[in-house]
Amino acid sequence: MLCSISFPKQKLHFQLNNTHISNHPPTIKRQQLPSISCVRSSNQLILTSQLSSSTWNAPTSLTLQSKPTNFSPKTFAPLRCDISSNSYETNNNRSFRDWIELIGEAISTAFPIWVSLGCLLGLVKPSSFNWITPKWTIFGITLTMLGMGMTLTLDDLRGAFSMPKEIISGFLLQYSVMPISGFLVSKLLNLPSHFAAGLILVGCCPGGTASNIVTYIARGNVALSVLMTAASTLSAVVMTPFLTAKLAGQYVAVDAAGLLMSTLQVVLLPVLAGAFLNQYFPSLVKFVSPLMPPIAVGTVALLCGNAIAQSASAILMSGQQVVFAAFLLHASGFFFGYVLARMLGIDVASSRTISIEVGMQNSVLGVVLATQHFGNPLTAVPCAVSSVCHSVFGSVLAGFWRRSAPSPKQMQD
């Protein structure tokens, strides 16, 4: 519909696009379209509908906005027509919380960039991380795990019973593919004992929280991703110390009891506390939840950068070997996670999710445990490098899979 309205010394033209009302019920007839009265104020033209219909609640007003161009103060750029009603909101009506969520999502999606920048800063200017003390390290990982717990409820545990095959398969692959891969890569590359212990340690860690974001981008099974992360995180209290002691004990002395207590402190208790808050204090969680993803991303970037800064000189001398080892570790996790899941008869979308969960570790937990329980600070280096590798690897894989979404038939096969 093309309309024009004349005012003294100028004429305004506007066009109503039919696509704006294409979703309304087909009961509207052409003769029911509203007659419109106009009120002009400054550079806005407000058109008010006079139609009242029992079968359709028509928009109450149309607002046309015009901005002067650079050529003449009396020349107006093409007008934009917005429909404003109780059912429609424009971007101008976003609340402060909406903007926080939007910014937080943007920061979280770009997490590989922030982690890479943190590690690069730690390598180039190690003194930038002198302010990070062990207490801040513990606080950071605890806060991250608390935020993850806030995404869970007790109802999520019931959800696990609806897909037991996927949950059990993912759990077994998580604590077999990565620990064994870490051990074999260490042997294959003949890594020094401190690097070998760190690589095995990160292989024995649970799935990382960033895997949920990557699964979402890859159009995988997000519910399965959350449940797998929760299952591997809760069981890490036992699995991480046990597997690390068995596989890395030949390289360095492993304090299994100390690892157990630290994992209990910085993983299990915060996750359970977050789930408790989400279950019984949802309004509080709803208020703080938009802030948790960017806080988690910032924490990972800082802790990984700090781990790199502690051993910057050694990394510059032998960094290529560590990067290659971490690359092989995560490539093995992504590859075998997907292939073995398909061999177990799991559908494509869930197999992609398992691949991401297996390939992406909670590297920052490895950094914290290595810093606390291994005397050589170089043990934490593979964990920090791992964070960069799996973030970049996972993001590239997610972008590829997003372009090749599984067909309905593959979703069931």
Side-chain angles (χ1 to χ4, degrees):
M1 184 196 311
L2 180 64
C3 308
S4 63
I5 299 177
S6 298
F7 289 95
K9 297 185 180 180
Q10 66 176 296
K11 189 175 184 178
L12 297 179
H13 298 274
F14 65 95
Q15 183 173 1
L16 299 181
N17 193 330
N18 291 334
T19 59
H20 288 294
I21 60 173
S22 61
N23 292 329
H24 290 297
T27 55
I28 306 170
K29 299 180 180 178
R30 184 176 300 275
Q31 60 269 26
Q32 290 177 303
L33 289 175
S35 58
I36 299 174
S37 60
C38 308
V39 177
R40 183 173 182 270
S41 173
S42 181
N43 67 335
Q44 291 189 348
L45 181 66
I46 301 176
L47 309 179
T48 303
S49 166
Q50 297 177 353
L51 172 67
S52 177
S53 171
S54 60
T55 59
W56 176 53
N57 294 325
T60 57
S61 66
L62 298 173
T63 302
L64 304 177
Q65 295 182 338
S66 170
K67 294 182 179 179
T69 64
N70 295 329
F71 301 102
S72 169
K74 294 185 178 181
T75 305
F76 284 81
L79 292 170
R80 186 187 72 202
C81 180
D82 297 327
I83 298 178
S84 60
S85 68
N86 294 334
S87 303
Y88 295 89
E89 294 182 1
T90 65
N91 291 336
N92 294 332
N93 292 332
R94 287 185 185 273
S95 66
F96 179 74
R97 176 186 173 83
D98 293 334
W99 283 112
I100 293 294
E101 290 180 346
L102 186 64
I103 295 172
E105 183 177 352
I107 293 174
S108 302
T109 305
F111 71 94
I113 298 175
W114 307 121
V115 175
S116 300
L117 289 175
C119 291
L120 181 63
L121 181 61
L123 193 63
V124 175
K125 193 175 181 182
S127 59
S128 303
F129 295 89
N130 289 343
W131 60 275
I132 298 181
T133 63
K135 289 184 178 180
W136 280 113
T137 300
I138 296 296
F139 176 76
I141 185 64
T142 302
L143 189 62
T144 301
M145 291 295 100
L146 179 67
M148 178 193 159
M150 288 181 181
T151 66
L152 305 173
T153 64
L154 299 180
D155 293 335
D156 292 327
L157 300 179
R158 301 187 187 98
F161 293 103
S162 65
M163 42 186 165
K165 180 180 179 180
E166 290 82 356
I167 295 292
I168 295 173
S169 299
F171 176 84
L172 293 177
L173 292 175
Q174 173 74 56
Y175 283 115
S176 60
V177 171
M178 291 301 281
I180 294 173
S181 296
F183 178 79
L184 294 178
V185 169
S186 300
K187 288 288 189 181
L188 178 65
L189 300 182
N190 195 23
L191 293 178
S193 59
H194 43 270
F195 286 154
L199 192 71
I200 292 172
L201 172 61
V202 75
C204 297
C205 284
T209 54
S211 61
N212 306 144
I213 301 173
V214 172
T215 299
Y216 173 76
I217 297 173
R219 295 178 177 172
N221 189 335
V222 179
L224 175 61
S225 176
V226 172
L227 290 173
M228 278 189 63
T229 303
S232 65
T233 301
L234 294 174
S235 57
V237 177
V238 175
M239 299 300 292
T240 299
F242 173 76
L243 292 173
T244 304
K246 289 295 182 182
L247 297 175
Q250 61 177 293
Y251 294 104
V252 294
V254 178
D255 181 10
L259 285 174
L260 175 64
M261 293 305 298
S262 294
T263 311
L264 179 68
Q265 175 187 354
V266 301
V267 175
L268 184 61
L269 294 181
V271 169
L272 292 179
F276 176 82
L277 290 174
N278 194 22
Q279 184 76 24
Y280 297 104
F281 300 94
S283 57
L284 173 63
V285 171
K286 184 179 179 180
F287 177 76
V288 301
S289 58
L291 301 174
M292 300 310 293
I295 288 175
V297 171
T299 300
V300 172
L302 288 174
L303 294 184
C304 290
N306 182 55
I308 295 292
Q310 297 298 319
S311 310
S313 58
I315 294 172
L316 291 174
M317 294 177 60
S318 58
Q320 291 182 351
Q321 188 183 32
V322 179
V323 171
F324 185 53
F327 174 83
L328 289 180
L329 172 68
H330 292 290
S332 174
F334 284 112
F335 177 77
F336 287 108
Y338 180 81
V339 171
L340 294 177
R342 290 294 289 154
M343 290 176 63
L344 292 172
I346 297 174
D347 64 87
V348 172
S350 296
S351 295
R352 291 179 177 183
T353 302
I354 292 174
S355 170
I356 293 170
E357 283 293 321
V358 173
M360 300 189 69
Q361 300 295 88
N362 192 338
S363 302
V364 70
L365 175 62
V367 170
V368 173
L369 296 179
T371 304
Q372 284 191 317
H373 299 286
F374 294 86
N376 194 329
L378 291 175
T379 308
V381 171
C383 304
V385 174
S386 162
S387 182
V388 180
C389 285
H390 78 67
S391 298
V392 175
F393 212 137
S395 298
V396 172
L397 191 60
F400 174 77
W401 273 340
R402 184 176 180 83
R403 294 185 178 184
S404 57
S407 64
K409 183 178 183 301
Q410 289 177 317
M411 294 285 287
Q412 299 175 355
D413 292 343

